[in-house]
Amino acid sequence: MKKLYHFLVDSKNISRSSFVWNMLAYTGNSFQSMIILLVISQMGNMQDAAIFSIGFAAASMFLVVGKYAVRNFQVSDVNDQYTYGEYVYARKLSILLMFLASALYLGYCWCFKAYSIYKVVCVVLLLGVRFLESAEDVFHGHLQKNGRLDIASKIWGIRTYSYIVSVIVLYLFTDNLAISATISLVISAGLLLLLNHSVLNFFPKVMQCEKKKGLQILKNCFPLALSTFLLTYIANSPKYAVDSIFSDEAQAAFNIICMPVFVISLLGNYIYNPLVKKMAGIWSEGSVRELKKMIYKQILLILAFLVVVIIGGELIGIRILEILYHISLSEYHVPFVYLMTAGGAMTIFNLLIVVATIIRKQRMLQYISLAASILFLAGNKWILLNIGILGLCQYYAGVLILMAIMTLVLCFREINRKAKKPVGEVE
């Protein structure tokens, strides 16, 4: 136990360790679906592959409900407006909401989509892992707030990679997704208890909690939760349009060229997640110029990486995808560029969600996200039918760029206007 404690806690350079482990954890979390699905589809059967794909997508959607976008709000609470106990109480309520929402979803699938018992069990087991992640997130928010993102990222990374390995190995031996997911869930739960309990001394021994203030956290974070949920829809909206109109082959090709989009979003987590506490401290001190400088720098890094991804994708990326999935993508080179541009705009919008959270102006996000969702819901199919996939990708990129620009303008307006106001309540 001592060795485990020292591994998690001891670090010669906490900032560097935080960056490296945060990068490793986010990479594993982002790639786990693709890796596991690739193994199941190649080594197992297509039924399990389909169930895993549907179950993991649903679990990821409900994870947004469970986390309720509280993490960055918690980390940026540098003036301790709310206690750790109140954040824990708020998380209990959001997990209860996640449970109710997922139960209704499974009930609907059982009654109206004729899900088999096996399929329901598999989806429940995949949801279980996301319940664990939701619960653990509030502990890790506390660690990050207190300057130990390295510890939180190590624990999350170990659990994530252990889950990937256990599911793959067990599936190869059992050829049964339910058995593999059950044992992997138990292993993941055991690691959650072991790893987080080993650093218990980093948490308050007595948790002070006013339930009214716990509810206030959920109220303040509702715009963030709604925006994050809508952004999940926005990210996948072109796929929904293509899936409802085009052939299976066209659907497969489009979904494949969409895959690299998440690589850009992944970079955003590398860049700004370790800086949330630092940016919150700068804002609390009223250092407007320094905060704006940090935001500009992060946007430039995202744009630079976007250019690299587009060039790399054009030169070798699309060809690699063709080899991996045995499908021709020659007609998708131009749509690919627009999709990657949309991914860059979405990453910048995600960064600005963090900024809006720090300056406590998150309410404006829900209106921008809702407006974009309506535009996609109303326009995607019409554009696809009348202009085609290229037109859809252009529309997708255009709306997301507009979202990012509008949010940037509004954030900077509030930063300039409220420069010396301490972090506090949402107005």
Side-chain angles (χ1 to χ4, degrees), residues 145-279:
K145 180 183 175 182
N146 289 278
R148 296 311 304 260
L149 177 61
D150 57 325
I151 298 174
S153 299
K154 284 177 184 178
I155 294 171
W156 187 32
I158 290 168
R159 271 208 323 106
T160 299
Y161 285 103
S162 298
Y163 182 76
I164 294 170
V165 172
S166 62
V167 170
I168 290 173
V169 172
L170 287 163
Y171 188 80
L172 291 175
F173 276 101
T174 65
D175 195 33
N176 186 292
L177 182 59
I179 294 172
S180 306
T182 300
I183 299 173
S184 298
L185 177 60
V186 172
I187 292 170
S188 192
L191 285 172
L192 183 148
L193 293 171
L194 174 66
L195 295 171
N196 288 285
H197 188 267
S198 66
V199 291
L200 206 58
N201 61 309
F202 281 85
F203 298 91
K205 292 181 180 179
V206 179
M207 287 200 298
Q208 297 177 339
C209 175
E210 291 182 32
K211 291 183 178 181
K212 186 178 179 181
K213 293 185 76 175
L215 289 168
Q216 197 174 56
I217 291 171
L218 295 183
K219 179 184 175 183
N220 286 344
C221 289
F222 176 76
L224 296 170
L226 179 61
S227 299
T228 306
F229 189 84
L230 290 173
L231 197 59
T232 305
Y233 163 74
I234 289 168
N236 293 291
S237 63
K239 295 181 186 178
Y240 300 146
V242 171
D243 289 352
S244 65
I245 296 171
F246 279 30
S247 66
D248 290 343
E249 186 178 341
Q251 291 174 28
F254 188 78
N255 287 335
I256 287 167
I257 65 164
C258 284
M259 284 182 178
V261 172
F262 79 90
V263 175
I264 304 168
S265 299
L266 190 63
L267 171 84
N269 290 316
Y270 296 166
I271 293 173
Y272 53 75
N273 193 52
L275 298 175
V276 175
K277 185 175 183 294
K278 183 178 180 180
M279 286 194 293

Side-chain angles (χ1 to χ4, degrees), residues 10 23-24 72 134 154 174 215 271 282 362 366 376 399:
D10 293 349
M23 180 180 69
L24 290 171
N72 288 327
S134 295
K154 284 177 184 178
T174 65
L215 289 168
I271 293 173
I282 290 170
Q362 56 266 38
Q366 63 188 348
F376 285 125
V399 174

Side-chain angles (χ1 to χ4, degrees), residues 38-49:
L38 190 61
V39 172
I40 293 174
S41 60
Q42 296 294 324
M43 307 299 293
N45 60 77
M46 292 312 295
Q47 181 194 15
D48 280 344

Side-chain angles (χ1 to χ4, degrees), residues 77 88 123 230 246 294 313 341:
D77 186 10
V88 171
V123 174
L230 290 173
F246 279 30
M294 286 187 72
T341 304

Side-chain angles (χ1 to χ4, degrees), residues 1 52 211 285 304 321 363:
M1 200 68 174
F52 177 82
K211 291 183 178 181
E285 293 166 3
L321 290 172
R363 282 183 181 173

